[in-house]
Amino acid sequence: MRLGLIGFGNIGATLLDLMQKAGLAPAHLAVLVRPGREASVPATAGAVVVTSAEALLAETPDLIVECAGHAAVSEHGPVVLRAGVDMVQVSVGAMSDPALEAQLRAAAKEGGARIVLPAGAVGGLDLLSALSATGELQVTYRGIKPPKAWAGTPAGETLDLDTLTTREVFFRGSARDAARAFPKNANVAAALALAGAGFEETQVELIADPEAPGNVHSYDVRSPVANYTMEIENLPSAGNVKTSVSTVYSVLREIRNRMNPVVI
């Protein structure tokens, strides 16, 4: 596979390491970074480093993985999709902007490309997506993380995250509001919304808990066909406490499915 990456932070670097360990090292790797950030991609990555989507596309990637945040999706996503290249969009929460979602969908249609939204740190999206056909879903998501994982977010405006000793719910609202207010922490809420009942109907609680064993994602689904509850305790990524390490494995799965003759 000829692989393109948008961004080379914690997720991008970890993904490349996992691919190499799994024997899936790309035949060619191109990485898009912001101008002035070229040195952030080590020579050991063996990558061609570029600073524009056009230059990334010139490297003829078979697949592009975005792992650089909402702004990168907005800037580069439409260009990539109109060029007919499928994009794995790690920053699922960017779809909470209705105008951007419409732009991305239109670009994908125009280019004959697909936007692939990985499950990230949560599971059960296959069943949730199937149940969405009933048209009568009730979905409530709870994101529970240690206080330090919420540093630099609006949670710090209402809680003293450095001294918190008790579990506190600091946000209740729709998945759309959660994804837009917490772009680095609520991609799971966006993924659940897109798979199931939609951004407005999916309810979200965000919680800071000093006793949290890691990044915990829990959600309840009620439908006329099936009811279920899922809870996943994720270890935080070594390079970024806001990101669950299973998120990178989810992206690896998407790449593996593109390369394997049998897809699960």
Side-chain angles (χ1 to χ4, degrees):
M1 173 180 286
R2 296 176 66 86
L3 182 66
L5 295 180
I6 299 176
F8 199 77
N10 176 66
I11 292 177
T14 305
L15 174 63
L16 183 60
D17 182 58
L18 290 177
M19 289 183 67
Q20 291 170 339
K21 289 179 179 177
L24 300 174
H28 180 75
L29 177 66
V31 179
L32 169 58
V33 297
R34 295 191 303 273
R37 293 282 298 165
E38 293 89 340
S40 66
V41 183
T44 53
V48 175
V49 182
V50 301
T51 57
S52 71
E54 292 77 9
L56 182 64
L57 291 166
E59 296 299 321
T60 62
D62 301 309
L63 180 70
I64 289 176
V65 175
E66 173 282 317
C67 48
H70 292 201
V73 174
S74 177
E75 182 177 359
H76 305 301
V79 179
V80 166
L81 295 166
R82 276 196 296 269
V85 181
D86 290 355
M87 180 178 72
V88 178
Q89 183 179 319
V90 176
S91 303
V92 180
M95 302 292 269
S96 62
D97 180 338
L100 178 56
E101 180 183 4
Q103 186 182 12
L104 291 168
R105 289 181 182 272
K109 184 176 181 179
E110 180 181 341
R114 299 177 71 197
I115 306 165
V116 180
L117 302 177
V122 73
L125 294 190
D126 53 346
L127 178 57
L128 179 59
S129 179
L131 295 177
S132 68
T134 68
E136 299 181 43
L137 283 183
Q138 296 179 17
V139 182
T140 302
Y141 162 73
R142 288 168 294 281
I144 308 166
K145 299 183 180 183
K148 64 181 180 180
W150 299 108
T153 76
E157 299 172 7
T158 56
L159 299 176
D160 187 341
L161 298 172
D162 292 328
T163 62
L164 191 67
T165 59
T166 59
R167 173 180 171 132
E168 297 288 346
V169 178
F170 59 84
F171 175 90
R172 287 188 176 93
S174 71
R176 189 180 304 281
D177 290 340
R180 300 189 76 171
F182 301 87
K184 296 182 179 180
N185 294 79
N187 282 312
V188 166
L192 290 169
L194 287 162
F199 275 104
E200 306 302 339
E201 293 76 13
T202 301
Q203 298 303 301
V204 173
E205 292 184 354
L206 300 179
I207 302 164
D209 186 355
E211 301 300 322
N215 297 338
V216 180
H217 302 288
S218 172
Y219 67 99
D220 303 315
V221 177
R222 297 292 177 266
S223 81
V225 176
N227 302 323
Y228 72 97
T229 298
M230 178 166 288
E231 181 170 297
I232 304 170
E233 295 182 3
N234 288 289
L235 291 177
S237 172
N240 183 355
V241 294
K242 292 180 171 63
T243 300
S244 301
V245 69
S246 60
T247 296
V248 189
Y249 281 88
S250 174
V251 179
L252 177 66
R253 171 184 173 273
E254 297 293 349
I255 293 173
R256 193 171 61 226
N257 280 347
R258 290 291 294 254
M259 301 175 71
N260 288 344
V262 178
V263 176
I264 297 177

